[in-house]
Amino acid sequence: MKTGDIIVLLLACGLLVQLFHSHWSSVNAAQLVSVHTPFETFQLSLQQAQQLRVKGTLGDSQLQIADGRIRFLSSPCRLKYCVHSGWLQHYGEFAACLPNGVSIAVQGQDAMYDAINF
């Protein structure tokens, strides 16, 4: 290997490290979560630990906020996909109980995805 090859290799490695930190790091920049129900839409802070019940079309869904994260604790839907989605903490993450009409979306400066299809 020649000197030019080593310089190009070092620059490529440095670029890879920079890209990893800017695009795939797990920095938690989210501060708010948007909660949508059939009856209202509101925002909550992820910095204040709490449990709350939100009314949906089938009944109440229970949400939990702790340590800058949010999750569905329970919901009256049959398959419980919303409960199994687990903790959400990074901006752009989303969970929904479609039969109950309740969804939560973590808000941030830049979304992780520009669109999600199911």
Side-chain angles (χ1 to χ4, degrees), residues 86-114:
W87 289 103
L88 308 176
Q89 64 184 358
H90 302 291
Y91 51 83
E93 291 183 326
F94 176 84
C97 181
L98 295 179
N100 201 25
V102 176
S103 66
I104 54 178
V106 179
Q107 304 293 310
Q109 294 175 353
D110 297 318
M112 185 179 274
Y113 308 105
D114 63 349

Side-chain angles (χ1 to χ4, degrees), residues 23-71:
H23 292 290
W24 294 289
S25 66
S26 60
V27 173
N28 186 4
Q31 299 293 320
L32 294 174
V33 64
S34 179
V35 180
H36 301 277
T37 72
F39 310 106
E40 64 181 329
T41 298
F42 56 94
Q43 290 187 338
L44 299 168
S45 171
L46 288 176
Q47 305 309 312
Q48 180 181 3
Q50 60 182 316
Q51 287 188 12
L52 63 140
R53 290 188 181 273
V54 292
K55 185 165 180 56
T57 55
L58 298 176
D60 290 346
S61 292
Q62 188 174 0
L63 306 175
Q64 179 184 18
I65 298 175
D67 301 324
R69 313 178 294 174
I70 187 167
R71 69 175 174 166

